[in-house]
Amino acid sequence: MPYAPALPTIAEAIQASLSPVFMLTGIGALLNVLTGRLARVIDRARVLEERHPALQRDDRTRAAAELRRLARRMKVINASLFLAVASAVATCTVVAMLFIGALTRYHIGQWVAFSFILAMSLLIAAFVAFMVEVRLSIHAIRVRDELLR
């Protein structure tokens, strides 16, 4: 007779998958914030690129320095986006494996644990990259002393 999981077994798999699904919600919120920040950085870079040829020497130097900072921020945001998406993929893998384990007789608990640890590690790395980008943006916001006089 083929194996057919009992309804309580499926209910347990659904309950076990709730935490990773909530984690996916948080990752989605992080992705939303990161893409918004990336869009603002890109918009600012485009404005500076358009103005660059018409600027005088000192202003051109400042614009070039700001463009370098913006390029660095874009790289860090893209890294954070990649890590967050990789975390989401690993989290989805956890959910899928929970159901595979419940619906089959395979003992994949170690793989589920490994995938969850991987998902959390990637999410931590994404948040660290986000923190680095926030620090970079704080340095870009400084008002020049000559404007404060």
Side-chain angles (χ1 to χ4, degrees):
M1 183 187 293
Y3 172 71
L7 189 58
T9 303
I10 295 170
E12 288 173 12
I14 292 170
Q15 287 175 339
S17 68
L18 285 180
S19 293
V21 169
F22 281 120
M23 187 170 147
L24 282 173
T25 303
I27 293 170
L30 175 62
L31 290 172
N32 190 33
V33 168
L34 290 170
T35 54
R37 291 179 75 89
L38 181 60
R40 292 190 68 184
V41 169
I42 289 170
D43 289 344
R44 177 65 181 154
R46 286 182 180 158
V47 167
L48 284 175
E49 287 172 350
E50 286 177 15
R51 293 181 183 167
H52 193 269
L55 294 174
Q56 299 300 321
R57 185 177 193 180
D58 289 343
D59 291 333
R60 185 178 286 193
T61 303
R62 267 195 291 281
E66 186 175 349
L67 282 168
R68 282 190 292 277
R69 283 192 300 271
L70 291 172
R72 176 78 176 126
R73 286 182 63 194
M74 282 186 258
K75 286 179 185 176
V76 173
I77 293 170
N78 279 320
S80 185
L81 281 166
F82 174 81
L83 291 164
V85 170
S87 177
V89 169
T91 303
C92 290
T93 303
V94 167
V95 173
M97 284 193 292
L98 286 169
F99 280 94
I100 290 170
L103 297 174
T104 66
R105 293 183 182 176
Y106 297 126
H107 301 285
I108 57 172
Q110 289 177 331
W111 290 103
V112 172
F114 172 77
S115 294
F116 189 74
I117 291 167
L118 177 64
M120 288 304 297
S121 298
L122 289 166
L123 186 57
I124 290 167
F127 275 119
V128 168
F130 178 52
M131 187 171 55
V132 168
E133 192 278 327
V134 168
R135 294 290 300 163
L136 288 171
S137 71
I138 289 170
H139 293 295
I141 299 174
R142 291 191 179 158
V143 179
R144 297 188 320 260
D145 288 335
E146 64 264 16
L147 297 176
L148 297 175
R149 294 178 193 178

Short mmCIF file of all heavy atoms in Angstrom, two decimals, residues 24 27 84-94 119:
data_model
loop_
_atom_site.label_atom_id
_atom_site.label_comp_id
_atom_site.label_asym_id
_atom_site.label_seq_id
_atom_site.Cartn_x
_atom_site.Cartn_y
_atom_site.Cartn_z
N LEU A 24 9.84 35.37 5.58
CA LEU A 24 9.73 35.83 4.19
C LEU A 24 9.06 37.21 4.12
O LEU A 24 9.44 38.05 3.30
CB LEU A 24 8.94 34.83 3.34
CG LEU A 24 9.70 33.60 2.89
CD1 LEU A 24 8.76 32.61 2.21
CD2 LEU A 24 10.84 33.98 1.97
N ILE A 27 11.70 39.68 5.01
CA ILE A 27 12.65 39.82 3.91
C ILE A 27 12.04 40.67 2.80
O ILE A 27 12.71 41.52 2.21
CB ILE A 27 13.09 38.43 3.38
CG1 ILE A 27 13.90 37.69 4.44
CG2 ILE A 27 13.90 38.57 2.10
CD1 ILE A 27 14.17 36.23 4.12
N ALA A 84 19.72 39.30 0.49
CA ALA A 84 18.33 39.17 0.96
C ALA A 84 17.54 38.22 0.07
O ALA A 84 16.76 37.39 0.57
CB ALA A 84 17.66 40.55 1.01
N VAL A 85 17.72 38.31 -1.24
CA VAL A 85 17.02 37.40 -2.15
C VAL A 85 17.51 35.96 -1.94
O VAL A 85 16.70 35.02 -1.92
CB VAL A 85 17.17 37.85 -3.62
CG1 VAL A 85 16.67 36.79 -4.57
CG2 VAL A 85 16.43 39.16 -3.85
N ALA A 86 18.81 35.79 -1.76
CA ALA A 86 19.34 34.45 -1.49
C ALA A 86 18.76 33.89 -0.19
O ALA A 86 18.44 32.70 -0.09
CB ALA A 86 20.87 34.48 -1.43
N SER A 87 18.60 34.75 0.81
CA SER A 87 17.97 34.33 2.06
C SER A 87 16.53 33.92 1.84
O SER A 87 16.06 32.92 2.40
CB SER A 87 18.04 35.47 3.10
OG SER A 87 17.37 35.11 4.28
N ALA A 88 15.81 34.67 1.01
CA ALA A 88 14.43 34.31 0.70
C ALA A 88 14.35 32.96 -0.01
O ALA A 88 13.48 32.14 0.30
CB ALA A 88 13.78 35.40 -0.16
N VAL A 89 15.27 32.72 -0.93
CA VAL A 89 15.29 31.43 -1.63
C VAL A 89 15.57 30.29 -0.64
O VAL A 89 14.90 29.25 -0.67
CB VAL A 89 16.34 31.44 -2.77
CG1 VAL A 89 16.57 30.05 -3.34
CG2 VAL A 89 15.89 32.40 -3.88
N ALA A 90 16.52 30.50 0.25
CA ALA A 90 16.82 29.47 1.25
C ALA A 90 15.63 29.25 2.19
O ALA A 90 15.34 28.11 2.57
CB ALA A 90 18.07 29.86 2.04
N THR A 91 14.92 30.31 2.51
CA THR A 91 13.74 30.19 3.37
C THR A 91 12.64 29.41 2.66
O THR A 91 11.98 28.55 3.26
CB THR A 91 13.24 31.58 3.79
OG1 THR A 91 14.31 32.28 4.44
CG2 THR A 91 12.06 31.48 4.74
N CYS A 92 12.44 29.70 1.38
CA CYS A 92 11.45 28.94 0.60
C CYS A 92 11.85 27.47 0.53
O CYS A 92 10.98 26.58 0.58
CB CYS A 92 11.33 29.52 -0.81
SG CYS A 92 10.53 31.13 -0.87
N THR A 93 13.14 27.20 0.44
CA THR A 93 13.62 25.82 0.44
C THR A 93 13.28 25.13 1.75
O THR A 93 12.89 23.96 1.76
CB THR A 93 15.15 25.80 0.19
OG1 THR A 93 15.42 26.48 -1.05
CG2 THR A 93 15.68 24.39 0.12
N VAL A 94 13.41 25.86 2.86
CA VAL A 94 13.04 25.31 4.17
C VAL A 94 11.58 24.89 4.17
O VAL A 94 11.23 23.78 4.58
CB VAL A 94 13.33 26.32 5.30
CG1 VAL A 94 12.67 25.89 6.60
CG2 VAL A 94 14.81 26.51 5.50
N ALA A 119 19.72 30.41 5.59
CA ALA A 119 18.81 31.54 5.36
C ALA A 119 19.05 32.65 6.37
O ALA A 119 19.10 33.84 6.00
CB ALA A 119 17.36 31.07 5.42
#
